[in-house]
Amino acid sequence: MSTLTDRYVYAATRLVQSEDERKELQLELRERIEDTISALEAGGLDRESAERQALTDLGDPLRVTAEYRQRPLHLIGPRFFYMWLRILVIAVSVTAPIVLAINVLVAVSAGETVGQVIVGGFGNAIAVAIHVAFWVTLVFAVVERVAPDSADAWTPDLLPQLPSGGGRGRADLIASIVCLVIFGALLAWQHLGSPFLVDGARVPILDPALWVPELWLVVGLLVLEAVHAFWVYRAGWTWPTALTNVALSVAFAVVVLPVLLQDRLLNPAFVQMQGWEDWTGTGTMIVAAGVVIVTVWESIAGVVRTLRGENAGRA
């Protein structure tokens, strides 16, 4: 008849694949249990009660085995948890909106209904978010088990520096990148996937003649804006980043304003299809005024953030 000790040792070692490791663990457990039983018997308990009490004190056999083998029971432990969380949030926040925007554009171009656009767009975005979460978690789970523990103890010297110049937070960086990607995708979509058709041919919304060179200049500025966003995130708002922000804002206005003021933004075929000939001039002037306001606002905002950062540094 098996004893409680036999059953406990079996439960603790049955999942150990290596025979040598399993035998060594069985011996260590039996010695530890027997020593505890002997101590309890010396305290006045009978053998059966002492055995039950010893096993109760040891606790879950699988947890005891993990402690002996120094194997983590958690998927991602304290060493990498916050790093995993930060990367996961960034990865999902960037990929899901991009996939949603692309799916919506493709669905609209294909002439799908509103319900199909919403269900398909959000369904694919959620699926991508799940895939990203799975692979990021898998990588960190593997690293948790193979990366050696750092032998260096924590000291205050390891604390990060305070952000200089009131640098953008991670949320601002993500929002900037997502908006830039969506804007770039819209430029491509209105030309390649326009839902407006004439005799089966797609009619671009913007004048196709703008691709050389104006729209390509805009795409280049979008790339530079993304680089600038990362620069501000890393370095904070300083005079170099603020002046670069002014230069990029002015460059965008220099490229876009002549197109608007000369009424060359919209494709004439698209304007005729929509019957907008009577008010495109007024509309483009309003948009041009908006571009000027945004350019001035963006330029001043960067300078103000830099000055605030300098004042905070003096305080």
Side-chain angles (χ1 to χ4, degrees), residues 240-289:
T241 57
L243 293 177
T244 302
N245 179 63
V246 173
L248 289 173
S249 299
V250 172
F252 183 82
V254 168
V255 172
V256 173
L257 283 177
V259 174
L260 292 170
L261 296 177
Q262 296 169 15
D263 199 13
R264 296 191 294 119
L265 180 65
L266 297 179
N267 184 1
F270 173 75
V271 173
Q272 184 178 6
M273 176 189 298
Q274 302 299 320
W276 292 352
E277 294 89 347
D278 295 335
W279 66 274
T280 51
T282 303
T284 52
M285 292 300 295
I286 293 174
V287 174

Side-chain angles (χ1 to χ4, degrees), residues 5-6 15 23 34 36 40 42 63 84 95 115 152 156 163 186 197 206 215 221 252 267 269 277-278 280-281:
T5 299
D6 294 332
L15 299 180
K23 288 181 178 179
E34 190 60 36
T36 306
L40 292 172
R63 184 179 296 276
W84 162 80
T95 56
D152 300 329
L186 286 172
L197 305 175
L206 303 183
L215 289 183
L221 289 173
F252 183 82
N267 184 1
E277 294 89 347
D278 295 335
T280 51

Side-chain angles (χ1 to χ4, degrees), residues 4 17 20 46 51 74 98 107 110 115 160 208 236 245 251 257 261 267 287 312:
L4 289 177
Q17 299 298 318
D20 292 338
D46 59 82
E51 182 182 30
H74 46 259
I98 292 175
N245 179 63
L257 283 177
L261 296 177
N267 184 1
V287 174

